[in-house]
Amino acid sequence: MPSLVEISHVSKVYPGASAPALDDVSLCVEPGEVLGLVGPNGAGKSTLLGILLGLIPRDSGSVQIAGHDLDRERSALRRVCGLAPQELGFYPSLTVTENLAFYAGVAGLGGELRRQRMQFAIEAVHLQGYLGLRSARLSGGLKRRLNLALSLLHAPRILLLDEPTVGVDTQSRRCILQVIRDLCSQGQTVIYTSHYLDELEQICDRLAVIDQGRILREGRLADLLGEADQTLRIGLRRPPRDAQRSALVNQFGADLVFDAQGLQLRTRQPLEALDSLRAQGLELRTIQYGEGRLEDLLLRLSTAAAAP
């Protein structure tokens, strides 16, 4: 059975750029799956979403969504996909209801179907008490919920969520995440980008780590966190001297990463590694091992990718 989304060897270079925004990217998304895209600013996440929607032309590679070819059936693809963009996509001078009605019309919905889809979107994101408010007067969290509601109107098979909780308070963020979980529990297919790693750990089935336009690692979230289980995290009482740092880099190579608190070391032999650190005269303040954290994996992958 073919994947719902098939991205094969896609590359994109913007005019005047010194490096590609996307460099030979291949990914698949299965029906009912939540794929997380994670990486630093400028990694290529938004460019990839724009290509999937047919908004940004790619330089090479192929894209198929729900059996539709991006080059030949672009209008069909836009019916299949729904986007909640990072930038708010509604008219602030219109009320919540007016925005929903306008975008339902843009999607070609009319009559009873339009009423049903608007009601579904309103209930899905819990906007019932705010329908008559001008959208500009909504709180940050409610604006994000309206942004999400608009993407649901035409019942897309694939939902693209680009930083859906950016800039909202903790309570609103919790509400939005629950909305997304509810949609996923009903079989919604989602491609999700976020800088909040705890969100990705809560929501995603699979993860693709992207940096400098390239996919550094892709797989099931549980498997990737299993890799992070082997990270030894050390808090140091004082930063290492240059000689100590050089000696450790020579010994451990790419498995060692220094951070603001101390260092992280990927190892299956934590006791032997601790002996090596003490032998270099490092004063250890805290020691942690065996707890998988996505942050550790991303730091190690990004550091390795940046190395010459």
Side-chain angles (χ1 to χ4, degrees), residues 237-275:
R237 295 193 181 280
R238 56 182 58 85
R241 299 189 302 274
D242 290 343
Q244 293 172 317
R245 183 184 291 259
S246 296
L248 292 171
V249 169
N250 288 335
Q251 180 177 357
F252 295 110
D255 288 328
L256 176 67
V257 175
F258 292 95
D259 58 28
Q261 287 72 43
L263 59 87
Q264 297 181 23
L265 176 62
R266 179 172 165 80
T267 178
R268 294 179 180 273
Q269 299 176 313
L271 296 180
E272 289 83 347
L274 287 172
D275 289 340

PDB file of all heavy atoms in Angstrom, residues 237-275:
ATOM      1  N   ARG A 237      31.512  21.694  37.697  1.00  0.00           N
ATOM      2  CA  ARG A 237      31.628  22.806  38.643  1.00  0.00           C
ATOM      3  C   ARG A 237      32.289  24.018  37.984  1.00  0.00           C
ATOM      4  O   ARG A 237      32.023  25.159  38.361  1.00  0.00           O
ATOM      5  CB  ARG A 237      32.422  22.370  39.878  1.00  0.00           C
ATOM      6  CG  ARG A 237      31.721  21.298  40.694  1.00  0.00           C
ATOM      7  CD  ARG A 237      32.353  21.108  42.056  1.00  0.00           C
ATOM      8  NE  ARG A 237      31.671  20.053  42.790  1.00  0.00           N
ATOM      9  CZ  ARG A 237      30.528  20.208  43.445  1.00  0.00           C
ATOM     10  NH1 ARG A 237      29.925  21.386  43.460  1.00  0.00           N
ATOM     11  NH2 ARG A 237      29.979  19.193  44.081  1.00  0.00           N
ATOM     12  N   ARG A 238      33.142  23.778  37.008  1.00  0.00           N
ATOM     13  CA  ARG A 238      33.782  24.872  36.269  1.00  0.00           C
ATOM     14  C   ARG A 238      34.069  24.376  34.861  1.00  0.00           C
ATOM     15  O   ARG A 238      34.244  23.174  34.643  1.00  0.00           O
ATOM     16  CB  ARG A 238      35.059  25.350  36.961  1.00  0.00           C
ATOM     17  CG  ARG A 238      36.089  24.282  37.206  1.00  0.00           C
ATOM     18  CD  ARG A 238      37.299  24.845  37.954  1.00  0.00           C
ATOM     19  NE  ARG A 238      36.910  25.432  39.221  1.00  0.00           N
ATOM     20  CZ  ARG A 238      36.770  24.744  40.363  1.00  0.00           C
ATOM     21  NH1 ARG A 238      36.975  23.449  40.375  1.00  0.00           N
ATOM     22  NH2 ARG A 238      36.424  25.355  41.473  1.00  0.00           N
ATOM     23  N   PRO A 239      34.122  25.275  33.888  1.00  0.00           N
ATOM     24  CA  PRO A 239      34.359  24.861  32.504  1.00  0.00           C
ATOM     25  C   PRO A 239      35.702  24.158  32.362  1.00  0.00           C
ATOM     26  O   PRO A 239      36.668  24.467  33.083  1.00  0.00           O
ATOM     27  CB  PRO A 239      34.347  26.182  31.727  1.00  0.00           C
ATOM     28  CG  PRO A 239      33.613  27.136  32.600  1.00  0.00           C
ATOM     29  CD  PRO A 239      33.921  26.734  34.006  1.00  0.00           C
ATOM     30  N   PRO A 240      35.810  23.210  31.428  1.00  0.00           N
ATOM     31  CA  PRO A 240      37.093  22.530  31.223  1.00  0.00           C
ATOM     32  C   PRO A 240      38.127  23.471  30.611  1.00  0.00           C
ATOM     33  O   PRO A 240      37.801  24.375  29.846  1.00  0.00           O
ATOM     34  CB  PRO A 240      36.742  21.393  30.248  1.00  0.00           C
ATOM     35  CG  PRO A 240      35.517  21.878  29.533  1.00  0.00           C
ATOM     36  CD  PRO A 240      34.765  22.697  30.533  1.00  0.00           C
ATOM     37  N   ARG A 241      39.393  23.261  30.974  1.00  0.00           N
ATOM     38  CA  ARG A 241      40.475  24.014  30.350  1.00  0.00           C
ATOM     39  C   ARG A 241      40.674  23.521  28.919  1.00  0.00           C
ATOM     40  O   ARG A 241      40.223  22.436  28.551  1.00  0.00           O
ATOM     41  CB  ARG A 241      41.766  23.854  31.162  1.00  0.00           C
ATOM     42  CG  ARG A 241      41.660  24.385  32.607  1.00  0.00           C
ATOM     43  CD  ARG A 241      43.023  24.396  33.275  1.00  0.00           C
ATOM     44  NE  ARG A 241      43.640  23.073  33.289  1.00  0.00           N
ATOM     45  CZ  ARG A 241      43.426  22.150  34.212  1.00  0.00           C
ATOM     46  NH1 ARG A 241      42.599  22.413  35.223  1.00  0.00           N
ATOM     47  NH2 ARG A 241      44.023  20.978  34.144  1.00  0.00           N
ATOM     48  N   ASP A 242      41.374  24.313  28.136  1.00  0.00           N
ATOM     49  CA  ASP A 242      41.580  23.959  26.731  1.00  0.00           C
ATOM     50  C   ASP A 242      42.259  22.601  26.590  1.00  0.00           C
ATOM     51  O   ASP A 242      41.900  21.792  25.726  1.00  0.00           O
ATOM     52  CB  ASP A 242      42.407  25.035  26.020  1.00  0.00           C
ATOM     53  CG  ASP A 242      41.642  26.343  25.835  1.00  0.00           C
ATOM     54  OD1 ASP A 242      40.401  26.316  25.951  1.00  0.00           O
ATOM     55  OD2 ASP A 242      42.290  27.380  25.580  1.00  0.00           O
ATOM     56  N   ALA A 243      43.233  22.349  27.446  1.00  0.00           N
ATOM     57  CA  ALA A 243      43.959  21.078  27.367  1.00  0.00           C
ATOM     58  C   ALA A 243      43.038  19.904  27.706  1.00  0.00           C
ATOM     59  O   ALA A 243      43.099  18.839  27.067  1.00  0.00           O
ATOM     60  CB  ALA A 243      45.163  21.104  28.312  1.00  0.00           C
ATOM     61  N   GLN A 244      42.189  20.089  28.724  1.00  0.00           N
ATOM     62  CA  GLN A 244      41.240  19.034  29.079  1.00  0.00           C
ATOM     63  C   GLN A 244      40.251  18.786  27.944  1.00  0.00           C
ATOM     64  O   GLN A 244      39.951  17.633  27.589  1.00  0.00           O
ATOM     65  CB  GLN A 244      40.483  19.431  30.347  1.00  0.00           C
ATOM     66  CG  GLN A 244      41.348  19.485  31.598  1.00  0.00           C
ATOM     67  CD  GLN A 244      40.591  20.074  32.779  1.00  0.00           C
ATOM     68  OE1 GLN A 244      39.876  21.073  32.630  1.00  0.00           O
ATOM     69  NE2 GLN A 244      40.760  19.470  33.950  1.00  0.00           N
ATOM     70  N   ARG A 245      39.748  19.870  27.359  1.00  0.00           N
ATOM     71  CA  ARG A 245      38.778  19.761  26.268  1.00  0.00           C
ATOM     72  C   ARG A 245      39.400  19.014  25.077  1.00  0.00           C
ATOM     73  O   ARG A 245      38.783  18.106  24.507  1.00  0.00           O
ATOM     74  CB  ARG A 245      38.316  21.152  25.850  1.00  0.00           C
ATOM     75  CG  ARG A 245      37.250  21.176  24.776  1.00  0.00           C
ATOM     76  CD  ARG A 245      36.958  22.614  24.372  1.00  0.00           C
ATOM     77  NE  ARG A 245      36.287  23.339  25.430  1.00  0.00           N
ATOM     78  CZ  ARG A 245      34.979  23.577  25.459  1.00  0.00           C
ATOM     79  NH1 ARG A 245      34.206  23.130  24.485  1.00  0.00           N
ATOM     80  NH2 ARG A 245      34.449  24.270  26.451  1.00  0.00           N
ATOM     81  N   SER A 246      40.615  19.376  24.728  1.00  0.00           N
ATOM     82  CA  SER A 246      41.279  18.745  23.589  1.00  0.00           C
ATOM     83  C   SER A 246      41.510  17.255  23.837  1.00  0.00           C
ATOM     84  O   SER A 246      41.309  16.418  22.947  1.00  0.00           O
ATOM     85  CB  SER A 246      42.614  19.433  23.308  1.00  0.00           C
ATOM     86  OG  SER A 246      42.410  20.777  22.919  1.00  0.00           O
ATOM     87  N   ALA A 247      41.919  16.914  25.051  1.00  0.00           N
ATOM     88  CA  ALA A 247      42.176  15.507  25.368  1.00  0.00           C
ATOM     89  C   ALA A 247      40.900  14.677  25.269  1.00  0.00           C
ATOM     90  O   ALA A 247      40.905  13.546  24.752  1.00  0.00           O
ATOM     91  CB  ALA A 247      42.782  15.398  26.768  1.00  0.00           C
ATOM     92  N   LEU A 248      39.800  15.232  25.748  1.00  0.00           N
ATOM     93  CA  LEU A 248      38.534  14.504  25.704  1.00  0.00           C
ATOM     94  C   LEU A 248      38.016  14.365  24.274  1.00  0.00           C
ATOM     95  O   LEU A 248      37.482  13.315  23.898  1.00  0.00           O
ATOM     96  CB  LEU A 248      37.498  15.217  26.582  1.00  0.00           C
ATOM     97  CG  LEU A 248      37.783  15.163  28.086  1.00  0.00           C
ATOM     98  CD1 LEU A 248      36.825  16.075  28.846  1.00  0.00           C
ATOM     99  CD2 LEU A 248      37.674  13.729  28.601  1.00  0.00           C
ATOM    100  N   VAL A 249      38.162  15.426  23.486  1.00  0.00           N
ATOM    101  CA  VAL A 249      37.737  15.352  22.083  1.00  0.00           C
ATOM    102  C   VAL A 249      38.556  14.293  21.348  1.00  0.00           C
ATOM    103  O   VAL A 249      38.018  13.516  20.547  1.00  0.00           O
ATOM    104  CB  VAL A 249      37.870  16.729  21.400  1.00  0.00           C
ATOM    105  CG1 VAL A 249      37.695  16.602  19.889  1.00  0.00           C
ATOM    106  CG2 VAL A 249      36.842  17.695  21.971  1.00  0.00           C
ATOM    107  N   ASN A 250      39.832  14.223  21.616  1.00  0.00           N
ATOM    108  CA  ASN A 250      40.679  13.211  20.985  1.00  0.00           C
ATOM    109  C   ASN A 250      40.254  11.803  21.391  1.00  0.00           C
ATOM    110  O   ASN A 250      40.334  10.865  20.592  1.00  0.00           O
ATOM    111  CB  ASN A 250      42.144  13.432  21.366  1.00  0.00           C
ATOM    112  CG  ASN A 250      42.743  14.654  20.685  1.00  0.00           C
ATOM    113  OD1 ASN A 250      42.273  15.066  19.625  1.00  0.00           O
ATOM    114  ND2 ASN A 250      43.770  15.236  21.292  1.00  0.00           N
ATOM    115  N   GLN A 251      39.802  11.662  22.624  1.00  0.00           N
ATOM    116  CA  GLN A 251      39.427  10.332  23.107  1.00  0.00           C
ATOM    117  C   GLN A 251      38.049   9.908  22.617  1.00  0.00           C
ATOM    118  O   GLN A 251      37.863   8.759  22.182  1.00  0.00           O
ATOM    119  CB  GLN A 251      39.451  10.300  24.639  1.00  0.00           C
ATOM    120  CG  GLN A 251      39.058   8.932  25.218  1.00  0.00           C
ATOM    121  CD  GLN A 251      39.162   8.904  26.733  1.00  0.00           C
ATOM    122  OE1 GLN A 251      39.578   9.871  27.363  1.00  0.00           O
ATOM    123  NE2 GLN A 251      38.792   7.779  27.320  1.00  0.00           N
ATOM    124  N   PHE A 252      37.065  10.832  22.654  1.00  0.00           N
ATOM    125  CA  PHE A 252      35.676  10.436  22.387  1.00  0.00           C
ATOM    126  C   PHE A 252      35.153  10.901  21.026  1.00  0.00           C
ATOM    127  O   PHE A 252      34.115  10.414  20.572  1.00  0.00           O
ATOM    128  CB  PHE A 252      34.762  10.979  23.492  1.00  0.00           C
ATOM    129  CG  PHE A 252      35.036  10.389  24.842  1.00  0.00           C
ATOM    130  CD1 PHE A 252      35.609  11.159  25.856  1.00  0.00           C
ATOM    131  CD2 PHE A 252      34.750   9.060  25.102  1.00  0.00           C
ATOM    132  CE1 PHE A 252      35.861  10.612  27.107  1.00  0.00           C
ATOM    133  CE2 PHE A 252      34.996   8.507  26.348  1.00  0.00           C
ATOM    134  CZ  PHE A 252      35.562   9.281  27.355  1.00  0.00           C
ATOM    135  N   GLY A 253      35.804  11.844  20.393  1.00  0.00           N
ATOM    136  CA  GLY A 253      35.407  12.286  19.061  1.00  0.00           C
ATOM    137  C   GLY A 253      34.008  12.866  19.021  1.00  0.00           C
ATOM    138  O   GLY A 253      33.593  13.632  19.902  1.00  0.00           O
ATOM    139  N   ALA A 254      33.227  12.482  17.991  1.00  0.00           N
ATOM    140  CA  ALA A 254      31.904  13.059  17.754  1.00  0.00           C
ATOM    141  C   ALA A 254      30.884  12.650  18.804  1.00  0.00           C
ATOM    142  O   ALA A 254      29.788  13.235  18.871  1.00  0.00           O
ATOM    143  CB  ALA A 254      31.399  12.659  16.365  1.00  0.00           C
ATOM    144  N   ASP A 255      31.190  11.663  19.639  1.00  0.00           N
ATOM    145  CA  ASP A 255      30.252  11.251  20.688  1.00  0.00           C
ATOM    146  C   ASP A 255      30.195  12.254  21.835  1.00  0.00           C
ATOM    147  O   ASP A 255      29.291  12.186  22.672  1.00  0.00           O
ATOM    148  CB  ASP A 255      30.648   9.882  21.255  1.00  0.00           C
ATOM    149  CG  ASP A 255      30.380   8.756  20.277  1.00  0.00           C
ATOM    150  OD1 ASP A 255      29.411   8.874  19.501  1.00  0.00           O
ATOM    151  OD2 ASP A 255      31.139   7.775  20.284  1.00  0.00           O
ATOM    152  N   LEU A 256      31.132  13.190  21.878  1.00  0.00           N
ATOM    153  CA  LEU A 256      31.211  14.160  22.968  1.00  0.00           C
ATOM    154  C   LEU A 256      30.734  15.527  22.478  1.00  0.00           C
ATOM    155  O   LEU A 256      31.148  16.006  21.423  1.00  0.00           O
ATOM    156  CB  LEU A 256      32.657  14.266  23.453  1.00  0.00           C
ATOM    157  CG  LEU A 256      32.939  15.315  24.534  1.00  0.00           C
ATOM    158  CD1 LEU A 256      32.267  14.946  25.845  1.00  0.00           C
ATOM    159  CD2 LEU A 256      34.441  15.476  24.722  1.00  0.00           C
ATOM    160  N   VAL A 257      29.853  16.151  23.275  1.00  0.00           N
ATOM    161  CA  VAL A 257      29.353  17.493  22.976  1.00  0.00           C
ATOM    162  C   VAL A 257      29.421  18.318  24.252  1.00  0.00           C
ATOM    163  O   VAL A 257      28.908  17.893  25.302  1.00  0.00           O
ATOM    164  CB  VAL A 257      27.898  17.468  22.457  1.00  0.00           C
ATOM    165  CG1 VAL A 257      27.375  18.889  22.266  1.00  0.00           C
ATOM    166  CG2 VAL A 257      27.810  16.685  21.152  1.00  0.00           C
ATOM    167  N   PHE A 258      30.038  19.491  24.201  1.00  0.00           N
ATOM    168  CA  PHE A 258      30.053  20.408  25.336  1.00  0.00           C
ATOM    169  C   PHE A 258      28.837  21.329  25.245  1.00  0.00           C
ATOM    170  O   PHE A 258      28.453  21.771  24.160  1.00  0.00           O
ATOM    171  CB  PHE A 258      31.340  21.235  25.333  1.00  0.00           C
ATOM    172  CG  PHE A 258      32.567  20.427  25.620  1.00  0.00           C
ATOM    173  CD1 PHE A 258      33.345  19.923  24.587  1.00  0.00           C
ATOM    174  CD2 PHE A 258      32.943  20.157  26.928  1.00  0.00           C
ATOM    175  CE1 PHE A 258      34.482  19.170  24.843  1.00  0.00           C
ATOM    176  CE2 PHE A 258      34.079  19.403  27.208  1.00  0.00           C
ATOM    177  CZ  PHE A 258      34.851  18.901  26.152  1.00  0.00           C
ATOM    178  N   ASP A 259      28.225  21.607  26.404  1.00  0.00           N
ATOM    179  CA  ASP A 259      27.086  22.530  26.440  1.00  0.00           C
ATOM    180  C   ASP A 259      27.289  23.523  27.587  1.00  0.00           C
ATOM    181  O   ASP A 259      28.332  23.542  28.233  1.00  0.00           O
ATOM    182  CB  ASP A 259      25.756  21.784  26.561  1.00  0.00           C
ATOM    183  CG  ASP A 259      25.677  20.897  27.803  1.00  0.00           C
ATOM    184  OD1 ASP A 259      26.348  21.224  28.802  1.00  0.00           O
ATOM    185  OD2 ASP A 259      24.943  19.898  27.790  1.00  0.00           O
ATOM    186  N   ALA A 260      26.267  24.352  27.829  1.00  0.00           N
ATOM    187  CA  ALA A 260      26.402  25.418  28.824  1.00  0.00           C
ATOM    188  C   ALA A 260      26.583  24.865  30.232  1.00  0.00           C
ATOM    189  O   ALA A 260      27.218  25.506  31.081  1.00  0.00           O
ATOM    190  CB  ALA A 260      25.181  26.335  28.768  1.00  0.00           C
ATOM    191  N   GLN A 261      26.030  23.687  30.514  1.00  0.00           N
ATOM    192  CA  GLN A 261      26.109  23.117  31.857  1.00  0.00           C
ATOM    193  C   GLN A 261      27.348  22.253  32.060  1.00  0.00           C
ATOM    194  O   GLN A 261      27.805  22.058  33.179  1.00  0.00           O
ATOM    195  CB  GLN A 261      24.860  22.270  32.154  1.00  0.00           C
ATOM    196  CG  GLN A 261      23.595  23.074  32.390  1.00  0.00           C
ATOM    197  CD  GLN A 261      23.056  23.690  31.116  1.00  0.00           C
ATOM    198  OE1 GLN A 261      23.020  23.041  30.072  1.00  0.00           O
ATOM    199  NE2 GLN A 261      22.652  24.943  31.184  1.00  0.00           N
ATOM    200  N   GLY A 262      27.870  21.713  30.984  1.00  0.00           N
ATOM    201  CA  GLY A 262      29.001  20.809  31.109  1.00  0.00           C
ATOM    202  C   GLY A 262      29.245  20.087  29.807  1.00  0.00           C
ATOM    203  O   GLY A 262      29.725  20.661  28.839  1.00  0.00           O
ATOM    204  N   LEU A 263      28.834  18.805  29.756  1.00  0.00           N
ATOM    205  CA  LEU A 263      29.043  18.033  28.535  1.00  0.00           C
ATOM    206  C   LEU A 263      28.034  16.899  28.464  1.00  0.00           C
ATOM    207  O   LEU A 263      27.404  16.521  29.451  1.00  0.00           O
ATOM    208  CB  LEU A 263      30.476  17.483  28.483  1.00  0.00           C
ATOM    209  CG  LEU A 263      30.942  16.568  29.625  1.00  0.00           C
ATOM    210  CD1 LEU A 263      30.587  15.103  29.358  1.00  0.00           C
ATOM    211  CD2 LEU A 263      32.435  16.716  29.836  1.00  0.00           C
ATOM    212  N   GLN A 264      27.901  16.372  27.239  1.00  0.00           N
ATOM    213  CA  GLN A 264      27.085  15.191  26.985  1.00  0.00           C
ATOM    214  C   GLN A 264      27.934  14.208  26.203  1.00  0.00           C
ATOM    215  O   GLN A 264      28.635  14.586  25.266  1.00  0.00           O
ATOM    216  CB  GLN A 264      25.825  15.555  26.202  1.00  0.00           C
ATOM    217  CG  GLN A 264      24.889  16.498  26.937  1.00  0.00           C
ATOM    218  CD  GLN A 264      23.642  16.802  26.140  1.00  0.00           C
ATOM    219  OE1 GLN A 264      23.246  16.037  25.267  1.00  0.00           O
ATOM    220  NE2 GLN A 264      23.013  17.928  26.440  1.00  0.00           N
ATOM    221  N   LEU A 265      27.853  12.951  26.584  1.00  0.00           N
ATOM    222  CA  LEU A 265      28.676  11.923  25.970  1.00  0.00           C
ATOM    223  C   LEU A 265      27.820  10.701  25.658  1.00  0.00           C
ATOM    224  O   LEU A 265      27.197  10.127  26.552  1.00  0.00           O
ATOM    225  CB  LEU A 265      29.827  11.533  26.904  1.00  0.00           C
ATOM    226  CG  LEU A 265      30.730  10.392  26.443  1.00  0.00           C
ATOM    227  CD1 LEU A 265      31.430  10.755  25.142  1.00  0.00           C
ATOM    228  CD2 LEU A 265      31.745  10.049  27.530  1.00  0.00           C
ATOM    229  N   ARG A 266      27.804  10.331  24.393  1.00  0.00           N
ATOM    230  CA  ARG A 266      27.085   9.119  23.993  1.00  0.00           C
ATOM    231  C   ARG A 266      27.992   7.918  24.236  1.00  0.00           C
ATOM    232  O   ARG A 266      29.088   7.810  23.661  1.00  0.00           O
ATOM    233  CB  ARG A 266      26.694   9.213  22.522  1.00  0.00           C
ATOM    234  CG  ARG A 266      25.965   7.985  21.989  1.00  0.00           C
ATOM    235  CD  ARG A 266      25.457   8.251  20.583  1.00  0.00           C
ATOM    236  NE  ARG A 266      25.069   7.038  19.909  1.00  0.00           N
ATOM    237  CZ  ARG A 266      23.920   6.411  20.099  1.00  0.00           C
ATOM    238  NH1 ARG A 266      23.036   6.897  20.964  1.00  0.00           N
ATOM    239  NH2 ARG A 266      23.623   5.311  19.431  1.00  0.00           N
ATOM    240  N   THR A 267      27.549   7.020  25.109  1.00  0.00           N
ATOM    241  CA  THR A 267      28.389   5.879  25.473  1.00  0.00           C
ATOM    242  C   THR A 267      27.525   4.736  25.994  1.00  0.00           C
ATOM    243  O   THR A 267      26.460   4.949  26.573  1.00  0.00           O
ATOM    244  CB  THR A 267      29.415   6.277  26.550  1.00  0.00           C
ATOM    245  OG1 THR A 267      30.187   5.135  26.906  1.00  0.00           O
ATOM    246  CG2 THR A 267      28.728   6.819  27.806  1.00  0.00           C
ATOM    247  N   ARG A 268      28.012   3.520  25.780  1.00  0.00           N
ATOM    248  CA  ARG A 268      27.396   2.331  26.384  1.00  0.00           C
ATOM    249  C   ARG A 268      28.159   1.884  27.633  1.00  0.00           C
ATOM    250  O   ARG A 268      27.803   0.879  28.247  1.00  0.00           O
ATOM    251  CB  ARG A 268      27.347   1.189  25.370  1.00  0.00           C
ATOM    252  CG  ARG A 268      26.424   1.454  24.174  1.00  0.00           C
ATOM    253  CD  ARG A 268      26.456   0.285  23.195  1.00  0.00           C
ATOM    254  NE  ARG A 268      25.591   0.509  22.063  1.00  0.00           N
ATOM    255  CZ  ARG A 268      24.289   0.205  22.012  1.00  0.00           C
ATOM    256  NH1 ARG A 268      23.716  -0.342  23.068  1.00  0.00           N
ATOM    257  NH2 ARG A 268      23.575   0.431  20.930  1.00  0.00           N
ATOM    258  N   GLN A 269      29.212   2.619  27.966  1.00  0.00           N
ATOM    259  CA  GLN A 269      30.035   2.271  29.129  1.00  0.00           C
ATOM    260  C   GLN A 269      30.187   3.503  30.026  1.00  0.00           C
ATOM    261  O   GLN A 269      31.256   4.123  30.097  1.00  0.00           O
ATOM    262  CB  GLN A 269      31.404   1.759  28.661  1.00  0.00           C
ATOM    263  CG  GLN A 269      31.315   0.497  27.805  1.00  0.00           C
ATOM    264  CD  GLN A 269      32.653   0.054  27.266  1.00  0.00           C
ATOM    265  OE1 GLN A 269      33.419   0.858  26.741  1.00  0.00           O
ATOM    266  NE2 GLN A 269      32.953  -1.228  27.420  1.00  0.00           N
ATOM    267  N   PRO A 270      29.138   3.878  30.740  1.00  0.00           N
ATOM    268  CA  PRO A 270      29.165   5.129  31.505  1.00  0.00           C
ATOM    269  C   PRO A 270      30.193   5.125  32.636  1.00  0.00           C
ATOM    270  O   PRO A 270      30.789   6.164  32.923  1.00  0.00           O
ATOM    271  CB  PRO A 270      27.740   5.244  32.043  1.00  0.00           C
ATOM    272  CG  PRO A 270      27.194   3.846  32.012  1.00  0.00           C
ATOM    273  CD  PRO A 270      27.834   3.189  30.829  1.00  0.00           C
ATOM    274  N   LEU A 271      30.429   3.992  33.265  1.00  0.00           N
ATOM    275  CA  LEU A 271      31.381   3.972  34.385  1.00  0.00           C
ATOM    276  C   LEU A 271      32.795   4.220  33.899  1.00  0.00           C
ATOM    277  O   LEU A 271      33.556   4.989  34.513  1.00  0.00           O
ATOM    278  CB  LEU A 271      31.282   2.643  35.125  1.00  0.00           C
ATOM    279  CG  LEU A 271      29.936   2.357  35.801  1.00  0.00           C
ATOM    280  CD1 LEU A 271      29.964   1.011  36.514  1.00  0.00           C
ATOM    281  CD2 LEU A 271      29.577   3.469  36.779  1.00  0.00           C
ATOM    282  N   GLU A 272      33.152   3.580  32.779  1.00  0.00           N
ATOM    283  CA  GLU A 272      34.483   3.806  32.214  1.00  0.00           C
ATOM    284  C   GLU A 272      34.624   5.250  31.754  1.00  0.00           C
ATOM    285  O   GLU A 272      35.696   5.872  31.910  1.00  0.00           O
ATOM    286  CB  GLU A 272      34.736   2.852  31.048  1.00  0.00           C
ATOM    287  CG  GLU A 272      34.926   1.398  31.444  1.00  0.00           C
ATOM    288  CD  GLU A 272      33.600   0.651  31.637  1.00  0.00           C
ATOM    289  OE1 GLU A 272      32.550   1.325  31.695  1.00  0.00           O
ATOM    290  OE2 GLU A 272      33.638  -0.586  31.731  1.00  0.00           O
ATOM    291  N   ALA A 273      33.555   5.819  31.190  1.00  0.00           N
ATOM    292  CA  ALA A 273      33.601   7.210  30.740  1.00  0.00           C
ATOM    293  C   ALA A 273      33.799   8.158  31.913  1.00  0.00           C
ATOM    294  O   ALA A 273      34.573   9.128  31.832  1.00  0.00           O
ATOM    295  CB  ALA A 273      32.316   7.554  29.988  1.00  0.00           C
ATOM    296  N   LEU A 274      33.135   7.889  33.032  1.00  0.00           N
ATOM    297  CA  LEU A 274      33.301   8.724  34.223  1.00  0.00           C
ATOM    298  C   LEU A 274      34.740   8.675  34.730  1.00  0.00           C
ATOM    299  O   LEU A 274      35.303   9.693  35.154  1.00  0.00           O
ATOM    300  CB  LEU A 274      32.324   8.271  35.316  1.00  0.00           C
ATOM    301  CG  LEU A 274      30.859   8.615  35.083  1.00  0.00           C
ATOM    302  CD1 LEU A 274      29.980   7.933  36.133  1.00  0.00           C
ATOM    303  CD2 LEU A 274      30.640  10.127  35.132  1.00  0.00           C
ATOM    304  N   ASP A 275      35.339   7.483  34.676  1.00  0.00           N
ATOM    305  CA  ASP A 275      36.744   7.373  35.094  1.00  0.00           C
ATOM    306  C   ASP A 275      37.634   8.245  34.214  1.00  0.00           C
ATOM    307  O   ASP A 275      38.561   8.908  34.700  1.00  0.00           O
ATOM    308  CB  ASP A 275      37.197   5.918  35.020  1.00  0.00           C
ATOM    309  CG  ASP A 275      36.570   5.051  36.111  1.00  0.00           C
ATOM    310  OD1 ASP A 275      36.106   5.632  37.117  1.00  0.00           O
ATOM    311  OD2 ASP A 275      36.532   3.822  35.934  1.00  0.00           O
TER     312      ASP A 275
END
